[in-house]
Amino acid sequence: MAESDLLSSSTLEANTTEPVGAGARTPATLEGAAVAYGSLVVMALLPIFFGAFRSVKHHKEQRDSGETPDIMSHRDAALFPIVASAALFGLYIFFQIFSKEYINLLLTGYFFFLGVLALCHLLSPIISSLVPAAIPNVQYRVQMTRLQGSGISSADEDLINYQFSTHDLVCLLFCTVIGVWYLMKKHWIANNLLGLAFAVNGVELLALNNVATGVTLLGGLFVYDVFWVFGTDVMVTVAKSFEAPIKLVFPQDILENGLAANNFAMLGLGDIVIPGIFIALLLRFDYSRSPGKSHLYFATSFLAYILGMAATIFIMHVSKHAQPALLYLVPACVGATLGLAVLRGETKILFQYEDSPSKEVTEGDNKADKKEK
């Protein structure tokens, strides 16, 4: 996913704009607000928890297959807030110049296809296990190869090599129905299903290679979030104008209006995915030391995330102003992790850990082995 997909709405806020055609909003009660924010916190925790464990499996599969992982370098992490800022401000200018209806029409189609694919990736194992035995699981392969000579050889390059089954087609059909529901109605439940799929896939597939890169990324986005929320109206304006499943929403008037409620609190996916990929890295660090036994760093950072989110909601409720959630989440997650490492005397071990050792380190090890021989 592109930076703008994740970070256009990186703030926790109440009272978002109403859906097209919605009537007057019902004022939020204390009970309704508690239900809404409690639901947002739960929805934020689920992608981080499941995405982190899925990332462990994903990285293991990449290592076993010999596939080169696509990881974020330290330079990428440092530049990320700058690129995200440019994308965010670009969207803000677009919404000021052009009609947001036309922009959102284009974005809706784009996120429809992305959302269906993300949902398929997430739900495929579940739906495949539920498909009736009457539907045979026939395998297919779509392949397009660029031939290097007149005949088939080992030097030929695969342009497309995709394998799927009839069960995958059933999953695609189911996910397309959800996508069409969102496309036609923009219902908040459909929005959240697609948003959760984006978040889980983001935590699973976006990879930080080491803790130093993670600290750089979170530190830069801490400044990014604070500046664009408190320094300008850009973040809030884009978040309210952007009709795409890049945020989770939950109605504060659901107790009064049920599923037809329209007074929403929202949480940007950036506030889930960015801390989530750091927490997932810590889980992989735990597994590298004691597979399946101790998840101490993961549990500590996960608990810190919960406390940081609670602090965000409390301060927003008291101040009655949109809050940059990373202002509280970054110090909580990074501070708790580094504090635990200092207490256990494992700071050096933590910062030396890498999912995929750099080429320089690998080449150095190989040279050392040859000398020993």
Side-chain angles (χ1 to χ4, degrees):
M1 285 182 285
E3 291 90 344
S4 59
D5 298 349
L6 295 177
L7 299 173
S8 295
S9 175
S10 186
T11 183
L12 185 61
E13 187 189 0
N15 300 326
T16 66
T17 50
E18 300 167 21
V20 175
R25 291 180 299 182
T26 304
T29 62
L30 183 60
E31 294 81 2
V35 171
Y37 290 121
S39 300
L40 285 178
V41 171
V42 171
M43 285 192 291
L45 296 177
L46 292 177
I48 293 176
F49 184 85
F50 290 107
F53 280 93
R54 287 170 66 98
S55 79
V56 174
K57 180 181 178 182
H58 175 68
H59 279 72
K60 183 178 184 302
E61 290 173 348
Q62 283 189 315
R63 286 194 299 270
D64 293 344
S65 65
E67 180 182 350
T68 303
D70 186 14
I71 59 176
M72 181 179 293
S73 68
H74 199 81
R75 181 174 179 272
D76 293 334
L79 291 176
F80 195 93
I82 299 173
V83 176
S85 294
L88 178 65
F89 190 67
L91 283 171
Y92 177 78
I93 296 298
F94 263 83
F95 280 120
Q96 299 302 313
I97 298 175
F98 302 104
S99 171
K100 72 176 185 179
E101 285 76 16
Y102 295 113
I103 299 174
N104 281 316
L105 184 63
L106 179 64
L107 292 172
T108 296
Y110 173 68
F111 279 99
F112 165 76
F113 289 106
L114 284 183
V116 169
L117 293 177
L119 207 55
C120 281
H121 179 72
L122 179 63
L123 297 181
S124 180
I126 301 173
I127 293 180
S128 296
S129 65
L130 298 176
V131 173
I135 301 178
N137 190 20
V138 181
Q139 300 291 323
Y140 299 92
R141 183 191 297 274
V142 176
Q143 188 170 12
M144 181 182 294
T145 304
R146 176 186 293 166
L147 301 179
Q148 301 299 324
S150 57
I152 299 177
S153 68
S154 59
D156 295 340
E157 179 185 359
D158 281 342
L159 301 178
I160 300 175
N161 190 350
Y162 184 71
Q163 185 173 335
F164 62 95
S165 68
T166 49
H167 288 187
D168 293 327
L169 295 177
V170 173
C171 179
L172 178 63
L173 177 61
F174 176 79
C175 295
T176 301
V177 170
I178 295 176
V180 171
W181 179 25
Y182 172 76
L183 200 66
M184 302 301 293
K185 300 294 185 180
K186 298 288 176 54
H187 197 278
W188 61 272
I189 294 180
N191 172 89
N192 287 348
L193 289 174
L194 297 178
L196 288 169
F198 281 135
V200 173
N201 281 290
V203 174
E204 174 187 356
L205 302 177
L206 295 177
L208 294 171
N209 193 40
N210 53 59
V211 172
T213 301
V215 171
T216 300
L217 177 66
L218 266 65
L221 291 175
F222 171 89
V223 177
Y224 158 93
D225 215 15
V226 172
F227 172 77
W228 288 113
V229 174
F230 285 152
T232 72
D233 67 339
V234 171
M235 180 78 77
V236 175
T237 300
V238 171
K240 288 185 174 182
S241 303
F242 205 90
E243 292 181 7
I246 59 162
K247 55 195 175 192
L248 301 180
V249 299
F250 201 91
Q252 300 179 86
D253 55 336
I254 192 170
L255 299 178
E256 293 80 16
N257 298 326
L259 297 181
N262 60 12
N263 184 5
F264 296 101
M266 70 178 181
L267 175 66
L269 294 191
D271 298 325
I272 302 172
V273 175
I274 297 304
I277 60 178
F278 181 74
I279 295 172
L281 171 66
L282 296 175
L283 179 62
R284 297 194 296 274
F285 170 68
D286 285 330
Y287 265 87
S288 72
R289 305 181 67 204
S290 54
K293 294 181 180 179
S294 173
H295 300 154
L296 183 59
Y297 281 89
F298 168 76
T300 300
S301 59
F302 192 74
L303 177 60
Y305 180 89
I306 297 174
L307 296 177
M309 188 62 70
T312 309
I313 293 172
F314 174 77
I315 294 174
M316 186 188 65
H317 179 74
V318 173
S319 66
K320 308 297 181 185
H321 188 278
Q323 294 295 312
L326 294 182
L327 172 62
Y328 310 96
L329 296 175
V330 170
C333 293
V334 174
T337 301
L338 298 184
L340 177 62
V342 170
L343 287 175
R344 293 173 61 87
E346 297 174 343
T347 306
K348 184 177 181 181
I349 297 173
L350 179 66
F351 276 87
Q352 285 180 337
Y353 169 77
E354 289 186 336
D355 276 331
S356 303
S358 62
K359 291 182 180 179
E360 291 79 5
V361 173
T362 303
E363 290 172 356
D365 289 342
N366 291 337
K367 291 178 181 178
D369 292 340
K370 290 179 180 179
K371 287 180 179 180
E372 288 177 3
K373 292 178 181 179

